[in-house]
């Protein structure tokens, strides 16, 4: 073989082996690429699965927290629902649509019953002071609390001529509305506590959330029938001040809500709250009383003779 052809042959071999190496490299590259793609897909599937599980867990946690919140929010309806004020206003509106006999005529003297739910609270004394300043009597639908301050508030309500009325002992919807047995045990407890603190045997009741609450697991007529049979009168409201919400509102909003409605009715039962976080209610009270008095309205405490304002009734 000539030198030239030998060189050409060796060149050819080298080229072939380069091409082979290149091929091997490309195949290895493709295999690695393929494997890493498979691993990526597997990894992503695992991650999705993990996230899915985590979302399930979180959803459950949120659900638990919500029901827990409903169970322990002993002091006010508004903590159960952010739209409680909307519901309270709707309930009042619905009631007023069907209560034509309560529509005021020009010559009627308006009767206005200011009612404060959920106390005693850190605001009770301020509310009582304002009522005292104007010599106005109101109604306090109270819950059960046995600390010294609360016991003193119950007594002060009665001593100063207001009506003390029951709003359940615990205010826990899930407990009191579970069955009649729970309801009556709770009722007896708040009635006894009020009697112990004030010597008054209260016969006036307001259902937590109203008789139209929509959250009771038992048909409300069961409890209504019990109250009717035992001579206990329950009162809902036909005017909502709008303080039953956690959404922001001002004392002027509350005044506006009440004043725009009370002029329409012979008897207005106004829903307000005696609770630590309801400062606007306290702030609104002096001006509200003044405006009602300017309107010639009689501001009265609820009594046995008060026109019943009830969202739900039974025959
Ligand atoms: Zn309440």
């Amino acid at each position: 073989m000539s030198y030239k052809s030998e060189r050409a042959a060796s060149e050819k071999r080298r080229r072939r082996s380069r091409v082979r190496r290149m091929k091997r490299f490309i195949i290895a590259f493709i295999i690695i690429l393929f494997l890493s793609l498979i691993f990526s897909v597997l990894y992503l599937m695992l991650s999705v699965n993990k996230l899915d599980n985590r979302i399930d867990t979180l959803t459950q946690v949120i659900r638990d927290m919500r029901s827990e919140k409903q169970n322990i929010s002993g002091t006010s309806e508004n903590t159960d629902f952010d739209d409680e004020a909307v519901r309270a206003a709707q309930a009042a509106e619905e009631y007023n649509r069907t209560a034509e006999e309560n529509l005021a005529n020009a010559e009627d003297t308006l009767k206005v019953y200011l009612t404060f739910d959920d106390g005693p609270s850190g605001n009770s004394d301020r509310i009582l002071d304002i009522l005292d300043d104007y010599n106005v009597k109101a109604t306090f639908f109270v819950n059960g609390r046995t600390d010294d301050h609360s016991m003193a508030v119950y007594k002060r309500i009665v001593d100063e001529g207001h009506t003390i009325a029951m709003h359940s002992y615990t205010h826990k919807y899930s407990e009191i509305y579970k069955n009649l047995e729970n309801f009556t045990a709770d009722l007896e407890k708040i009635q006894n506590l009020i009697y112990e603190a004030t010597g008054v045997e209260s016969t006036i009741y307001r259902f937590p959330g109203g008789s139209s609450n929509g959250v009771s697991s038992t048909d409300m007529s069961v409890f209504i029938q019990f109250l009717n049979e035992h001579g206990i009168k329950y009162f809902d409201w036909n005017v909502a001040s709008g303080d039953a919400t956690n959404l922001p509102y001002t004392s002027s909003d509350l005044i506006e809500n009440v004043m725009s409605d009370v002029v329409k009715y012979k008897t207005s039962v106004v829903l307000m709250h005696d609770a630590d976080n309801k400062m606007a209610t306290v702030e609104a009270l002096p001006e509200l009383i003044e405006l009602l008095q300017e309107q010639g309205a009689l501001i009265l405490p609820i009594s046995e003779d008060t026109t019943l304002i009830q969202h739900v009734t039974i025959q």
Side-chain angles (χ1 to χ4, degrees), residues 160-198:
E160 300 188 4
H162 306 288
T163 296
I164 194 158
M166 302 173 282
H167 190 42
S168 85
Y169 193 94
T170 66
H171 204 291
K172 292 179 188 167
Y173 298 163
S174 57
E175 283 178 19
I176 55 176
Y177 294 147
K178 196 173 177 191
N179 52 46
L180 184 60
E181 203 185 337
N182 280 22
F183 180 80
T184 54
D186 178 276
L187 178 77
E188 205 175 307
K189 216 172 157 191
I190 186 65
Q191 201 172 31
N192 286 342
L193 179 65
I194 291 173
Y195 184 76
E196 190 191 315
T198 68

Side-chain angles (χ1 to χ4, degrees), residues 40-248:
S40 302
V41 167
L42 281 174
Y43 176 76
L44 279 174
M45 278 167 68
L46 265 171
S47 301
V48 166
N49 195 33
K50 243 191 239 167
L51 277 175
D52 215 31
N53 287 339
R54 198 174 289 176
I55 288 172
D56 278 352
T57 317
L58 280 174
T59 312
Q60 190 54 45
V61 166
I62 289 170
R63 217 175 285 144
D64 289 351
M65 277 169 67
R66 275 203 188 132
S67 69
E68 185 70 7
K69 208 175 157 195
Q70 273 195 24
N71 288 340
I72 60 174
S73 68
T75 55
S76 68
E77 296 99 324
N78 63 289
T79 42
D80 294 0
F81 308 101
D82 273 344
D83 63 352
E84 179 65 22
V86 176
R87 210 197 57 71
Q90 279 171 351
E93 211 176 287
E94 232 169 84
Y95 169 81
N96 288 323
R97 253 202 306 280
T98 57
E100 276 177 45
E101 73 279 4
N102 193 33
L103 291 176
N105 299 307
E107 71 277 11
D108 286 324
T109 301
L110 306 176
K111 289 181 182 173
V112 176
Y113 298 85
L114 301 178
T115 69
F116 297 91
D117 286 14
D118 302 350
S121 80
N123 277 327
S124 303
D125 284 311
R126 300 181 61 197
I127 293 172
L128 285 161
D129 287 346
I130 296 166
L131 295 172
D132 185 42
D133 286 346
Y134 289 90
N135 193 26
V136 157
K137 309 300 175 199
T139 304
F140 290 81
F141 287 97
V142 298
N143 297 128
R145 295 192 185 97
T146 53
D147 58 280
D148 290 347
H149 171 255
S150 298
M151 293 299 272
V153 167
Y154 296 135
K155 190 156 187 327
R156 190 176 164 196
I157 290 169
V158 171
D159 287 350
E160 300 188 4
H162 306 288
T163 296
I164 194 158
M166 302 173 282
H167 190 42
S168 85
Y169 193 94
T170 66
H171 204 291
K172 292 179 188 167
Y173 298 163
S174 57
E175 283 178 19
I176 55 176
Y177 294 147
K178 196 173 177 191
N179 52 46
L180 184 60
E181 203 185 337
N182 280 22
F183 180 80
T184 54
D186 178 276
L187 178 77
E188 205 175 307
K189 216 172 157 191
I190 186 65
Q191 201 172 31
N192 286 342
L193 179 65
I194 291 173
Y195 184 76
E196 190 191 315
T198 68
V200 170
E201 194 168 324
S202 178
T203 55
I204 294 167
Y205 191 84
R206 173 171 284 158
F207 291 105
S211 64
S212 58
N213 63 72
V215 294
S216 174
S217 53
T218 307
D219 190 329
M220 289 302 289
S221 62
V222 173
F223 309 130
I224 291 173
Q225 192 180 341
F226 180 88
L227 295 186
N228 289 348
E229 283 170 3
H230 289 79
I232 294 172
K233 290 184 172 162
Y234 63 97
F235 282 82
D236 291 309
W237 57 91
N238 61 342
V239 174
S241 68
D243 72 350
T245 180
N246 288 327
L247 301 171

